[in-house]
Amino acid sequence: MTHPAQPKASHFINGAYVEDTSGTPIPVIYAATGEQIATVYAATPAIVEQALSTAKAAQKEWAKMTGTERGRILRRAADIMRERNHELSVLETYDTGKPLQETLVADATSGADALEYFGGLAGSLTGEHIPMGEDWVYTMREALGLCVGIGAWNYPTQIACWKGAPALACGNSMVFKPSETTPLCALKVAEILHEAGAPAGIYNVIQGMGEVGAALVTDPRVDKVSLTGSVPTGKKVYAAAAAGMKHVTMELGGKSPLIIFDDADVENAVGGAINGNFYSSGQVCSNGTRVFVQKGIKEKFLARLAERTGNAILGDPMDEATSFGPMVTENQMNIVLGYIEKGKEEGARLICGGKRADMDGFFVEPTVFADVTDDMTIAREEIFGPVMSVLDFDTEEEVIARANDTEFGLSAGVFTNDFSRAHRVIGQLEAGSCFINSYNDAPVEAPFGGVKASGVGRENSKEAIKHFSQVKSVYVRMGDVEAAF
Ligand code: NDP
């Protein structure tokens, strides 16, 4: 019998599901059991062509609609997503293995927030009037044209919406390629957008591995590329986009610092560290995986952290009581277990976890290492799994220097009850998305993105509009034209 997660077809192009079984088969594996639940086929060159030509042809008419009309469609799509939240959350859980307890509140709901927010902004995108004496200049905020979105596997619904909603609000069309690991959810986003009234060809989804992404990025018809992925992939995609002088947004990896001062509220700091390391089993780009704890509070912090981490409920992700799911794939589980072994070999002190959980599926126990030093591999490389490194520090000046000593710059957090210090420290941290006495909140109203190797551009908020549109400036002369001859 066909599994309920099996999509109608692999791709969604020009307002309809499209299949081409001559592409490479991509098995979809449910991370909680290791069972194959669906198959999709990678896009062939013919499918890539169909998606790009369709999106290119549809964009001009879409851009001619008023912003209010486009926004109404996005807001209708948001309503449909909310109505179907349960069904979409179950699919997200099948796609990623993340527990339903999370997907019910963090995936289709945050996708709907993006559709609603950018739908609301669409009607207010305007240029300005610049007086020049009798003459004047006016500016127009225009669409870029055809945008490509390429997603990572940790938030397949959210990434498809975070890229699609601002792109469409500005009058662009999109071809979105999900990660081959999680191909299911973006198809539902496309289906819902079209049900809500998006014209055929405005939002298309095609499947495939890196080569399909590369074919999209290098196509001369594409005006913008927005990638969520790792730093090595980001460097390749950025270079390929630069060769065609395309706009880019790069949302890449991190190894973010979370700094806890002696005067912090211990329960809140522990809660922040848990949210910033173990949500989605640690598969979150902005995680604060280098937890710097001032020496005076260290043992108290570690004791409460171990106690509360022991309350994580590993189990069937479809059971709403489960609070901690598996790694997305067996491969990702092995990468994470490799880092855990490295941490042990390099002399970090294991506080809890530290191995594969004794159950079906790709579960790794939530793991905390203490006495981690800056040079250890687990303190330098992005693990993308539930492995927290706790490092000690003495002074504010010292911790700022050490926190910034990394190629990454996605996020940073500070826990302290001294508000002058909180703002002073955050002001000096090299990161794009920061938190004071909190960690990992990502509302659509706030800009999201990194500095240094963690990326360029911003998603969400009004900032995203700047990255999906361009400004045309028009000089208007009222009098005669003076010329030299
Ligand atoms: P990857 O970088 O491996 O892949 C990202 C996407 O790019 C995938 O769809 C992948 O295809 C595609 N891709 C790979 N090579 C190319 C290429 N040459 N040209 C075009 N596209 C290509 O990342 P993961 O999927 O492993 O995701 C984990 C990473 O994503 C982590 O580093 C994490 O930090 C980052 N991330 C960043 C976020 C942010 O907002 N800053 C949020 C979430 C994750 P495929 O894999 O299917 O072959």
Side-chain angles (χ1 to χ4, degrees), residues 150-154 159 177-181 208-210 213-214 217 227-231 233 236-237 251-254 285 382 384 410 448 454 459:
I150 301 178
W153 40 255
N154 55 347
I159 294 172
K177 188 202 85 69
S179 163
E180 65 179 285
T181 305
M209 291 65 119
V217 172
L227 171 84
T228 296
S230 60
V231 172
T233 303
K236 280 191 236 163
V237 172
E251 293 294 350
L252 309 176
C285 51
E382 184 184 44
F384 226 58
L410 186 50
F448 182 80
S454 292
E459 296 200 298

Side-chain angles (χ1 to χ4, degrees), residues 19-99:
E19 191 54 281
D20 180 354
T21 54
S22 63
T24 308
I26 301 175
V28 185
I29 309 292
Y30 182 36
T33 59
E35 151 205 29
Q36 181 171 344
I37 53 170
T39 307
V40 295
Y41 295 87
T44 55
I47 289 285
V48 173
E49 177 53 35
Q50 207 181 325
L52 288 172
S53 55
T54 292
K56 185 78 189 167
Q59 186 264 326
K60 289 226 158 23
E61 287 305 311
W62 175 244
K64 276 188 202 157
M65 287 168 67
T66 67
T68 304
E69 286 167 332
R70 288 197 301 272
R72 192 177 303 134
I73 292 168
L74 298 183
R75 285 183 289 110
R76 210 179 285 140
D79 291 344
I80 300 174
M81 285 194 88
R82 289 214 177 87
E83 279 158 24
R84 295 192 195 149
N85 183 40
H86 196 274
E87 179 195 322
L88 295 169
S89 303
V90 167
L91 189 68
E92 175 93 20
T93 292
Y94 277 130
D95 222 4
T96 60
K98 291 185 294 182

Side-chain angles (χ1 to χ4, degrees), residues 331-375:
N331 184 44
Q332 188 62 19
M333 175 186 75
N334 289 329
I335 291 171
V336 174
L337 291 172
Y339 275 111
I340 290 174
E341 286 316 306
K342 245 322 233 219
K344 292 176 187 167
E345 273 164 41
E346 292 183 0
R349 171 162 61 111
L350 186 65
I351 299 291
C352 58
K355 57 182 191 321
R356 182 175 183 176
D358 185 18
M359 59 204 292
D360 284 344
F362 313 133
F363 287 85
V364 175
E365 293 174 348
T367 298
V368 177
F369 281 108
D371 303 340
V372 176
T373 53
D374 296 347
D375 54 334

Side-chain angles (χ1 to χ4, degrees), residues 33-337:
T33 59
E35 151 205 29
Q36 181 171 344
I37 53 170
T39 307
V40 295
Y41 295 87
T44 55
I47 289 285
V48 173
E49 177 53 35
Q50 207 181 325
L52 288 172
S53 55
T54 292
K56 185 78 189 167
Q59 186 264 326
K60 289 226 158 23
E61 287 305 311
W62 175 244
K64 276 188 202 157
M65 287 168 67
T66 67
T68 304
E69 286 167 332
R70 288 197 301 272
R72 192 177 303 134
I73 292 168
L74 298 183
R75 285 183 289 110
R76 210 179 285 140
D79 291 344
I80 300 174
M81 285 194 88
R82 289 214 177 87
E83 279 158 24
R84 295 192 195 149
N85 183 40
H86 196 274
E87 179 195 322
L88 295 169
S89 303
V90 167
L91 189 68
E92 175 93 20
T93 292
Y94 277 130
D95 222 4
T96 60
K98 291 185 294 182
L100 199 56
Q101 191 190 86
E102 284 187 18
T103 57
L104 281 169
V105 296
D107 293 284
T109 52
S110 103
D113 284 353
L115 290 162
E116 185 173 4
Y117 176 83
F118 288 107
L121 277 187
S124 64
L125 305 180
T126 56
E128 61 177 335
H129 170 264
I130 306 161
M132 300 290 300
E134 282 190 348
D135 298 349
W136 75 89
V137 173
Y138 65 92
T139 65
M140 298 161 77
R141 187 155 286 281
E142 296 186 330
L144 297 172
L146 167 50
C147 300
V148 159
I150 301 178
W153 40 255
N154 55 347
Y155 283 85
T157 305
Q158 184 186 87
I159 294 172
C161 293
W162 279 19
K163 298 189 188 309
L168 267 53
C170 293
N172 304 285
S173 59
M174 177 161 272
V175 176
F176 184 82
K177 188 202 85 69
S179 163
E180 65 179 285
T181 305
T182 53
L184 306 177
C185 295
L187 290 167
K188 286 287 171 196
V189 173
E191 195 183 310
I192 288 170
L193 275 165
H194 285 84
E195 199 177 322
I202 287 305
Y203 188 89
N204 309 277
V205 173
I206 63 172
Q207 309 295 345
M209 291 65 119
E211 324 68 278
V212 172
L216 294 173
V217 172
T218 49
D219 192 280
R221 287 165 289 187
V222 171
D223 300 291
K224 150 118 201 184
V225 179
S226 177
L227 171 84
T228 296
S230 60
V231 172
T233 303
K235 286 180 178 167
K236 280 191 236 163
V237 172
Y238 199 177
M245 208 58 84
K246 299 177 199 307
H247 296 253
V248 293
T249 299
M250 295 281 146
E251 293 294 350
L252 309 176
K255 189 74 196 177
S256 301
L258 169 53
I259 302 173
I260 297 164
F261 285 95
D262 277 347
D263 66 346
D265 178 292
V266 176
E267 283 309 307
N268 285 333
V270 167
I274 288 173
N275 288 344
N277 281 269
F278 298 140
Y279 201 70
S280 301
S281 300
Q283 302 165 113
V284 179
C285 51
S286 49
N287 272 355
T289 47
R290 288 184 296 145
V291 181
F292 291 93
V293 183
Q294 206 165 14
K295 282 186 183 148
I297 203 179
K298 175 182 165 183
E299 290 309 327
K300 200 169 164 197
F301 174 85
L302 286 174
R304 275 304 283 152
L305 179 63
E307 214 174 316
R308 286 179 58 179
T309 302
N311 295 334
I313 301 174
L314 285 66
D316 174 5
M318 294 296 175
D319 179 347
E320 282 185 49
T322 298
S323 57
F324 189 89
M327 297 289 93
V328 73
T329 57
E330 188 169 13
N331 184 44
Q332 188 62 19
M333 175 186 75
N334 289 329
I335 291 171
V336 174
L337 291 172

Side-chain angles (χ1 to χ4, degrees), residues 382-400:
E382 184 184 44
I383 300 176
F384 226 58
V387 183
M388 185 193 306
S389 294
V390 178
L391 305 95
D392 311 341
F393 76 95
D394 288 303
T395 69
E396 184 180 315
E397 201 183 8
E398 167 210 340
V399 78
I400 292 169

